[in-house]
């Protein structure tokens, strides 16, 4: 084993509005039968990384429930396995994680007690499939201190100003890194996936935290720019992060495309906590076109261009278009759902309409009865 | 070892030969059912839902699919430190002795040491042949209340049907005084379901005694009659819910089709008494822009681009464009290529049906090799099979193996014919 993994799952975003009131972003339901963190966890496991820490902070109940057994990702190990770190109180410490670097520093014994040479640090909020060994091999080959995975966003609709933007020289050595710049110097964004030597990470953290430098990007990466060698690794396959309602909607809808859906149906698979619901049921009145349907879902109505999670019910004469409906929500008879994100356990009564704008979906909070 | 009040022994070694090609490479309890389950999931889920957490699974015939499915018991939360699942194949003993399991009771006899090690008060005997939900804890309460030595679960059948079953003749309190195997003139309508609770020390004695008499010791034929003769207390426990034998191609097909109804008699969609299975990877199911799906159940990972009507589609199946599939069961991992038409067809797991294949056309002529097995018009395509492009297959046909165009005369297989290619390397 060359590396240990750290998945940062502490995040919450104002821009995910009510969807994140009840859960961390990493616990956001995704693509009909997953949660966001399944992608990072499965990537770790599929890359042969068997010692993985998930660092949580905000509203971690549903995340902890999801991770209550590590066996679904083959991380139930005698040696290593899955670690879940939440903020805790000690005699000298009574604060929450003050930043990402601080959250790792407060669990520095995890780093110190490991013997693997490298650490792969990723976010639990992003949706992609990646073999981290390729990054580690690249990191070794380049002789890098830090390798940061990057994607070129030229010609895409992605607004690079929302991300870390980096420039590299012709050898891919990183020459500048700016977080959410007002004017971007390039279209290469950081995907928040880092490979770093374990001993160096310990050293950098021990230098930074006592001085009050708690942030990872600002205080570990940017402050050391020029002092240590950093390389960019270009990743050109599918990647998206759940940093807004629109991004959440878009990422789910992306799985309706065959090239993105392939991620789910080809090996290595993305694993999740199973639920053993029965197969989806299409009754005689069902019309379904271009939709992902979770297990245990029963459809009597029309569903088009949508993602339905597990145990959803769509009643007779109802139509669901361009929408996401999460687990155990109930759509009665004769309803119209359009451009909507319906959270878990929502009840939409007979004949009700829930209609949003194509570029501004309406969000119905968990458990609401309409 | 923590003491177990009741443990279960599940007889999973049978071939189930009436299921034809479906049990060619796997035991009957490993046959897939309802789009994502295997038959063994029903008794196993009943066990875990009833609080029975120690189960010995007796395997003999083609156990590989079953072994893989059972694993360490994870599907049913039986991967526990105390108890859990033990797979028990026949074994060799000192002096090159030991033998195959020669009868239902003989199989238990050969595992007396395993049961003794669990030290149970009661042993529940199950088979892996039926689709039902049953609370074995309620049956145990009945057993204890009546101070039984044996409790036999029974189903009330019609008197006409009764001559196909083992029939319990019982008094007004359901205390059994006589057992008749397939009686020509049945005196009662209480049919044995092959589900027994024994007080272990009584069963242990009976097994040892009967082993000296019958080499093929069987519960129905030997153990139950012997215990009645000895004046032991046997009661019939009436079961009134859904119970389905899926032992023939037709009954297997019909039980699958019943699940598709808007309100099926056997409901898998309620949270209470859930049926658990092996869910390894589980992408959602996708239905494409030009697909048309009516009255079907479709499992996770399946990708549908064609037209489906009244069918059961299992995990990770791909149904390509221009297909028309009706009244059929397509099992895990199959690919049905463009333009194929399937009518009343069972396709076993990981099989590839080529382009423009037609299955289920023509007259209802029973299969010429096995007319008793294939005679209701259903054609069965075996597991890991390949049917090449442009082949037309009739009714009651059987295809198994990686077939090539030259295996079919004029690209056709007439009703009642078979193509079975067994791997030479096996």
């Amino acid at each position: 084993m060359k590396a240990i993994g750290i998945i940062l799952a502490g995040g919450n975003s104002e821009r995910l509005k009510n969807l994140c009131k009840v859960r961390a972003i990493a616990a956001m339901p995704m693509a009909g039968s997953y949660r966001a963190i399944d992608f990072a966890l499965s990537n770790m496991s599929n890359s042969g990384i068997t010692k993985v820490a998930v660092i949580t902070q905000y509203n971690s109940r549903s995340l902890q429930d999801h991770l209550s057994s590590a066996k679904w990702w083959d991380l139930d190990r005698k040696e290593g396995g899955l670690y879940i770190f939440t903020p805790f109180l000690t005699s000298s410490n009574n604060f929450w994680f003050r930043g990402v670097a601080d959250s790792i520093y407060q669990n520095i014994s995890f780093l110190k007690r490991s013997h693997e040479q490298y650490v792969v640090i990723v976010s639990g909020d992003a949706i992609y499939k990646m073999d981290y060994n390729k990054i580690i091999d690249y990191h070794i080959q380049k002789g890098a201190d830090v390798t940061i995975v990057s994607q070129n966003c030229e010609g895409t609709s992605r607004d690079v100003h929302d991300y870390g933007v980096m420039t590299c020289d012709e050898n891919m050595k990183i020459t500048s890194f700016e977080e959410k710049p007002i004017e971007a110097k390039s279209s290469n964004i950081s995907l928040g996936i880092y490979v770093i030597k374990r001993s160096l990470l310990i050293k950098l953290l021990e230098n930074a935290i006592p001085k009050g430098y708690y942030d990872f990007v600002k205080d570990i990466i940017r402050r050391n720019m020029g002092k240590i060698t950093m390389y960019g690794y270009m990743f050109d396959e599918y990647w998206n992060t759940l940093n807004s309602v629109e991004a959440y909607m878009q990422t789910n809808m992306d799985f309706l495309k065959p090239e993105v859906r392939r991620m789910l149906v080809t090996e290595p698979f993305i694993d999740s906590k199973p639920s053993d619901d029965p197969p989806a049921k299409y009754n005689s009145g069902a019309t379904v076109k271009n939709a992902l349907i979770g297990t245990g879902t029963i459809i009597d109505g029309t569903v088009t261009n949508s993602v339905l999670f597990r145990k959803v019910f769509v009643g007779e004469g109802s139509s669901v278009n361009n929408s996401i409906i999460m687990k155990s929500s109930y759509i009665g008879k004769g309803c119209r759902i359009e451009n909507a994100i319906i959270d878990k356990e929502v009840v939409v009564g007979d004949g009700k309409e829930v209609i949003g704008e194509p570029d501004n979906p309406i969000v119905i909070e968990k458990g609401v009865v309409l | 070892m923590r003491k177990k009040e009741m443990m279960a022994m599940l007889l999973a070694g049978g071939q189930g030969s009436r299921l034809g090609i479906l049990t060619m490479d796997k035991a009957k309890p490993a046959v897939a059912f309802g789009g994502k389950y295997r038959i063994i999931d029903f008794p196993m889920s009943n066990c875990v839902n009833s609080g029975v957490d120690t189960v010995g699974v007796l395997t003999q015939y083609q156990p590989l699919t079953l072994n893989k499915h059972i694993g360490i018991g994870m599907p049913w939360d039986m991967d526990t430190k105390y108890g859990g699942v033990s797979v028990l194949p026949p074994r060799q003993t000192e002096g090159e002795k030991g033998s195959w399991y020669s009868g239902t009771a003989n199989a238990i006899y050969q595992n007396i040491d395993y049961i003794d090690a669990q030290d149970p008060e009661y042993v529940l005997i199950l088979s892996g042949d039926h689709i039902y939900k049953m609370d074995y804890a309620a049956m145990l309460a009945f057993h204890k209340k009546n101070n039984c030595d044996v409790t036999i679960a029974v189903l009330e059948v019609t008197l006409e049907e009764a001559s196909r079953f083992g029939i319990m003749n019982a008094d007004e309190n359901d205390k059994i005084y006589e057992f008749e195997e397939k009686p020509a003139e049945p005196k009662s309508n209480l049919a044995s379901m092959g589900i027994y609770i024994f007080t272990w020390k009584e069963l242990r004695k009976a097994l040892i005694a009967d082993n000296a008499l019958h080499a093929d010791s069987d519960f129905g034929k030997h153990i139950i009659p012997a215990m009645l003769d000895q004046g032991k207390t046997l009661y019939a426990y009436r079961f009134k819910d859904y119970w389905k034998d899926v032992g023939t191609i037709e009954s297997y097909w019909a039980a699958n089709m019943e699940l598709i109804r808007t309100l099926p008699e056997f409901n898998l969609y309620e949270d209470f008494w859930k049926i658990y299975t092996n869910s390894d990877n589980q992408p959602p199911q996708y239905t494409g822009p030009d697909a048309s799906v009516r009255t079907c159940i479709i499992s996770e990972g399946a990708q549908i681009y064609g037209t489906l009507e009244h069918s059961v589609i299992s995990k990770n199946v791909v149904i390509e464009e221009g297909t028309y599939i009706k009244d059929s069961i397509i099992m895990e991992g199959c690919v049905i290529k463009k333009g194929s038409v399937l009518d009343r067809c069972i396709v076993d797991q990981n099989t590839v049906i080529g382009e423009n294949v037609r299955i289920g056309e023509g007259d209802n002529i029973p299969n010429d090799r096995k007319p008793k097995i294939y005679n209701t018009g259903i054609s069965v395509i075996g597991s890991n099979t390949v049917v090449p492009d442009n082949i037309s297959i009739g009714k009651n046909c059987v295809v198994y193996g990686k077939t090539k165009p030259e295996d079919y005369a004029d690209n056709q297989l007439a009703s009642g014919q078979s193509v079975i290619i067994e791997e030479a390397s096996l």
Side-chain angles (χ1 to χ4, degrees):
Chain A
M1 261 7 101
K2 280 189 291 202
I4 56 172
I6 294 177
I7 298 175
L8 305 166
N12 181 41
S13 172
E14 289 293 311
R15 294 173 62 190
L16 274 166
K17 297 177 192 159
N18 294 336
L19 293 171
C20 257
K21 252 163 73 174
V22 291
R23 56 177 83 85
I25 301 176
M28 285 296 286
M30 179 51 59
S33 56
Y34 304 91
R35 288 183 186 267
I37 198 169
D38 290 334
F39 290 81
L41 266 179
S42 299
N43 286 338
M44 289 284 179
S45 175
N46 293 335
S47 302
I49 299 173
T50 56
K51 188 171 183 183
V52 178
V54 174
I55 301 184
T56 72
Q57 169 146 303
Y58 178 84
N59 217 343
S60 62
R61 187 205 57 80
S62 61
L63 191 61
Q64 304 235 15
D65 174 16
H66 190 64
L67 303 179
S68 61
S69 170
K71 61 185 167 186
W72 317 119
W73 302 275
D74 268 346
L75 290 169
D76 53 335
R77 303 281 180 139
K78 271 189 180 170
E79 262 335 298
L82 185 67
Y83 295 73
I84 298 173
F85 295 137
T86 51
F88 51 87
L89 297 176
T90 66
S91 55
S92 60
N93 170 357
N94 57 0
F95 35 72
W96 284 51
F97 298 147
R98 293 161 295 190
V100 167
D102 185 43
S103 72
I104 302 173
Y105 178 75
Q106 287 194 35
N107 296 291
I108 203 157
S109 58
F110 171 73
L111 293 175
K112 288 186 168 175
R113 283 177 198 158
S114 299
H115 52 79
E116 291 81 354
Q117 228 181 333
Y118 301 97
V119 185
V120 179
I121 303 173
V122 306
S123 152
D125 305 349
I127 306 301
Y128 62 105
K129 192 164 172 179
M130 187 184 288
D131 181 356
Y132 298 137
N133 288 313
K134 287 188 184 162
I135 328 290
I136 298 168
D137 291 347
Y138 175 93
H139 179 86
I140 295 168
Q141 178 223 324
K142 287 283 182 189
D145 289 321
V146 177
T147 298
I148 304 176
V149 180
S150 171
Q151 187 157 72
N152 187 349
C153 300
E154 207 175 330
T156 69
S157 58
R158 196 184 296 283
D159 185 359
V160 297
H161 303 95
D162 285 345
Y163 299 85
V165 175
M166 50 203 248
T167 53
C168 299
D169 68 14
E170 65 282 8
N171 292 320
M172 291 309 292
K173 196 171 168 186
I174 299 171
T175 49
S176 77
F177 190 109
E178 288 178 290
E179 185 68 2
K180 296 181 185 163
I182 295 163
E183 274 187 49
K185 287 187 198 156
S186 91
S187 51
N188 290 344
I189 62 161
S190 161
L191 304 189
I193 300 164
Y194 310 91
V195 171
I196 181 168
K197 215 177 226 177
R198 186 175 53 88
S199 54
L200 177 65
L201 178 61
I202 293 170
K203 200 175 100 190
L204 296 177
L205 289 170
E206 285 183 333
N207 280 335
I209 304 302
K211 295 178 190 147
Y213 300 148
Y214 302 131
D215 192 60
F216 193 78
V217 171
K218 197 171 89 194
D219 298 325
I220 303 293
I221 301 298
R222 294 195 54 207
R223 206 174 283 275
N224 290 300
M225 187 65 59
K227 293 181 198 139
I228 55 176
T229 45
M230 304 196 204
Y231 279 86
Y233 175 96
M234 300 308 293
F235 180 72
D236 54 12
E237 287 169 54
Y238 184 85
W239 180 90
N240 211 354
T241 188
L242 309 181
N243 56 5
S244 66
V245 171
E246 293 72 25
Y248 178 72
M249 185 83 179
Q250 185 57 49
T251 308
N252 273 286
M253 292 303 163
D254 282 343
F255 280 96
L256 295 176
K257 301 172 191 159
E259 66 273 17
V260 179
R261 198 169 60 253
R262 194 177 305 124
M263 196 194 297
L264 305 179
V265 294
T266 54
E267 288 190 76
F269 293 118
I270 304 299
D271 288 306
S272 188
K273 181 181 174 184
S275 60
D276 285 10
D277 295 311
K281 191 153 183 281
Y282 292 63
N283 285 334
S284 56
T287 304
V288 178
K289 307 272 182 199
N290 192 34
L292 281 171
I293 309 291
T295 52
T297 283
I298 301 177
I299 302 171
D300 278 312
T302 300
V303 178
T304 49
N305 309 317
S306 294
V307 176
L308 270 53
F309 285 75
R310 299 189 289 115
K311 293 167 81 176
V312 169
F313 179 83
V314 178
E316 221 176 298
S318 287
S319 74
V320 176
N321 182 34
N322 197 37
S323 296
I324 297 169
I325 303 180
M326 292 189 213
K327 192 187 144 195
S328 299
S329 280
Y330 179 95
I331 314 297
K333 291 180 186 169
C335 300
R336 204 175 135 218
I337 314 288
E338 199 138 355
N339 305 317
I341 299 174
I342 295 188
D343 207 325
K344 282 175 161 185
E345 292 151 28
V346 167
V347 176
V348 180
D350 292 354
K352 290 277 187 305
E353 294 196 335
V354 180
I355 297 173
E357 301 293 322
D359 50 358
N360 184 21
I362 180 171
V363 176
I364 307 296
E365 270 183 71
K366 183 176 173 181
V368 165
V369 177
L370 291 175
Chain B
M1 181 62 75
R2 292 178 193 173
K3 189 167 170 60
K4 299 288 176 188
E5 185 181 32
M6 180 163 78
M7 60 167 298
M9 294 294 275
L10 196 153
L11 299 159
Q15 178 182 357
S17 55
R18 290 176 305 154
L19 281 174
I21 208 82
L22 296 178
T23 54
M24 174 110 160
D25 51 7
K26 54 190 165 304
K28 183 173 167 186
V31 170
F33 183 83
K36 69 182 291 184
Y37 308 95
R38 294 188 187 274
I39 295 172
I40 195 176
D41 289 330
F42 294 85
M44 291 303 278
S45 299
N46 287 338
C47 278
V48 71
N49 289 333
S50 304
V52 176
D53 67 358
T54 306
V55 183
V57 179
L58 299 125
T59 61
Q60 177 156 290
Y61 176 83
Q62 291 283 38
L64 297 186
T65 308
L66 201 54
N67 288 347
K68 183 165 180 274
H69 185 68
I70 294 169
I72 56 168
M74 218 153 84
W76 316 284
D77 275 345
M78 285 198 193
D79 49 335
T80 53
K81 264 173 84 175
Y82 302 101
V85 185
S86 303
V87 176
L88 305 166
R91 47 190 149 136
Q92 203 170 46
T93 52
E94 175 68 33
E96 295 189 11
K97 284 194 200 129
S99 65
W100 296 108
Y101 296 146
S102 56
T104 51
N106 175 269
I108 306 296
Y109 170 80
Q110 293 198 40
N111 288 286
I112 285 180
D113 53 352
Y114 167 74
I115 300 173
D116 278 344
Q118 320 301 320
D119 193 18
E121 286 292 310
Y122 307 100
V123 173
L124 169 69
I125 307 289
L126 300 169
S127 67
D129 293 354
H130 300 103
I131 306 300
Y132 65 111
K133 295 182 184 178
M134 181 173 181
D135 185 357
Y136 305 135
M139 184 171 164
L140 178 62
F142 175 91
H143 181 88
K144 289 197 279 190
K145 191 186 88 191
N146 292 301
N147 291 313
C148 297
D149 297 312
V150 191
T151 300
I152 303 172
V154 295
L155 206 65
E156 294 169 30
V157 296
T158 62
L159 279 177
E160 297 83 73
E161 287 176 308
S163 46
R164 292 196 289 116
F165 289 92
I167 295 298
M168 303 295 152
N169 298 325
D171 69 12
E172 68 280 8
N173 297 318
D174 286 343
K175 186 170 190 294
I176 300 165
Y177 61 86
E178 190 185 21
F179 171 78
E180 290 181 289
E181 184 72 34
K182 296 181 181 157
E185 287 179 25
K187 287 178 238 164
S188 122
N189 67 341
L190 300 180
S192 167
M193 297 162 66
I195 297 168
Y196 313 96
I197 291 177
F198 286 93
T199 301
W200 172 234
K201 65 176 195 299
E202 295 297 333
L203 175 60
R204 197 177 188 285
K205 272 189 277 181
L207 288 172
I208 292 168
D210 196 62
N211 184 58
L213 302 172
H214 304 106
D216 58 345
S217 188
D218 182 273
F219 282 108
K221 271 186 237 152
H222 308 126
I223 301 290
I224 300 299
M227 291 180 87
L228 275 170
D229 286 348
Q230 289 160 23
K232 301 287 180 195
T233 310
L234 283 78
Y235 270 78
Y237 174 76
R238 290 174 194 252
F239 180 72
K240 305 207 171 184
D241 274 324
Y242 184 94
W243 189 77
K244 209 70 168 180
D245 178 56
V246 287
T248 64
I249 293 288
E250 175 65 23
S251 66
Y252 172 81
W253 179 85
N256 271 279
M257 291 300 150
E258 278 180 21
L259 297 174
I260 304 173
R261 291 186 195 154
T262 307
L263 279 175
E265 198 187 339
F266 188 67
N267 194 349
L268 293 166
Y269 291 81
E270 50 199 15
D271 283 334
F272 179 70
W273 216 268
K274 203 164 166 173
I275 303 301
Y276 301 94
T277 187
N278 200 348
S279 305
D280 19 15
N281 82 302
Q282 39 168 7
Q285 175 265 314
Y286 177 75
T287 298
D290 302 317
S292 166
V293 180
R294 288 281 160 87
T295 47
C296 287
I297 56 174
I298 309 180
S299 244
E300 55 262 48
Q303 303 182 61
I304 313 298
Y305 299 94
T307 300
L308 291 179
E309 233 175 86
H310 201 252
S311 292
V312 174
I313 310 295
S314 311
K315 293 193 276 187
N316 303 323
V317 165
V318 180
I319 309 279
E320 295 189 354
E321 295 88 349
T323 47
Y324 179 66
I325 294 169
K326 183 168 169 269
D327 295 332
S328 294
I329 301 167
I330 314 292
M331 298 195 207
E332 192 173 342
C334 288
V335 179
I336 314 294
K337 293 199 176 162
K338 291 187 184 78
S340 286
V341 177
L342 277 63
D343 186 9
R344 263 170 85 82
C345 187
I346 299 173
V347 185
D348 203 348
Q349 60 191 42
N350 302 319
T351 282
V352 178
I353 306 287
E355 293 182 14
N356 302 313
V357 169
R358 307 178 78 83
I359 306 178
E361 294 184 327
D363 299 326
N364 187 12
I365 302 163
N367 190 270
D368 61 350
R369 293 192 207 179
K370 293 185 171 167
K372 285 188 177 157
I373 293 180
Y374 311 99
N375 53 29
T376 59
I378 298 165
S379 278
V380 185
I381 315 297
S383 63
N384 301 296
T385 291
V386 175
V387 176
D389 296 349
N390 306 314
I391 300 293
S392 176
I393 295 172
K395 292 191 167 80
N396 299 314
C397 290
V398 181
V399 180
Y400 183 90
K402 309 241 177 314
T403 65
K404 298 191 173 67
E406 52 266 33
D407 297 319
Y408 304 84
D410 301 328
N411 280 353
Q412 282 193 352
L413 189 66
S415 288
Q417 301 294 304
S418 310
V419 177
I420 296 174
I421 295 171
E422 293 180 53
E423 298 275 338
S425 58
L426 276 172

